């Protein structure tokens, strides 16, 4: 499947909704896990502002990659963010979209609160 790296260097990224476990099957409540590591997958909704546009993105991140206090409005860094186009048929209707995944989401609030050395 095609993976497209996303450059976040010129973007402002903040938490829009606190991390939640990603649900694999809504009927059973089964939580999604990473196929390679077995880690629980989390969904973090972020406000992604770049080029005078703002979007809310749902980003999937392995639980060990979620670091720092991530409450609404917290500025964050997204490490290894990629976009994956997807398409499927559901009840005879084609659906498509873009899924976002990152290696880590890290709070920048701690770094901003620290006094800078003179």
């Amino acid at each position: 499947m095609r993976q497209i790296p996303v450059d976040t260097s010129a973007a402002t990224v903040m938490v829009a909704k606190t991390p939640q476990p990603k649900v694999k099957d809504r009927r059973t409540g089964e939580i999604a896990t990473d196929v390679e590591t077995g880690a629980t997958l989390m969904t973090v909704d972020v406000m992604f502002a770049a080029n005078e546009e703002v979007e809310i993105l749902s980003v999937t991140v392995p639980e060990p990659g979620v670091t720092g206090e991530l409450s609404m409005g917290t500025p964050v860094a997204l490490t290894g963010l990629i976009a994956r186009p997807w398409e499927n048929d559901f009840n005879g209707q084609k659906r498509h979209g873009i899924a976002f995944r990152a290696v880590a989401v890290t709070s920048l609030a701690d770094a901003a609160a620290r006094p800078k050395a003179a």
Side-chain angles (χ1 to χ4, degrees), residues 29-106:
E30 180 184 0
I31 302 299
T33 56
D34 186 283
V35 293
E36 294 176 9
T37 65
T40 298
L41 293 176
M42 305 295 287
T43 300
V44 183
D45 289 354
V46 297
M47 179 197 77
F48 190 93
N51 302 321
E52 298 186 23
E53 292 190 23
V54 177
E55 292 192 46
I56 302 295
L57 306 180
S58 289
V59 181
T60 300
V61 182
E63 189 171 31
V66 178
T67 57
E69 183 69 29
L70 299 181
S71 57
M72 188 186 304
T74 303
V76 293
L78 298 172
T79 304
L81 182 64
I82 59 161
R84 277 191 192 142
W86 60 268
E87 183 177 305
N88 64 23
D89 285 315
F90 186 74
N91 290 335
Q93 293 185 337
K94 282 197 181 268
R95 297 172 34 130
H96 63 278
I98 300 173
F100 293 92
R101 175 134 179 189
V103 173
V105 58
T106 308

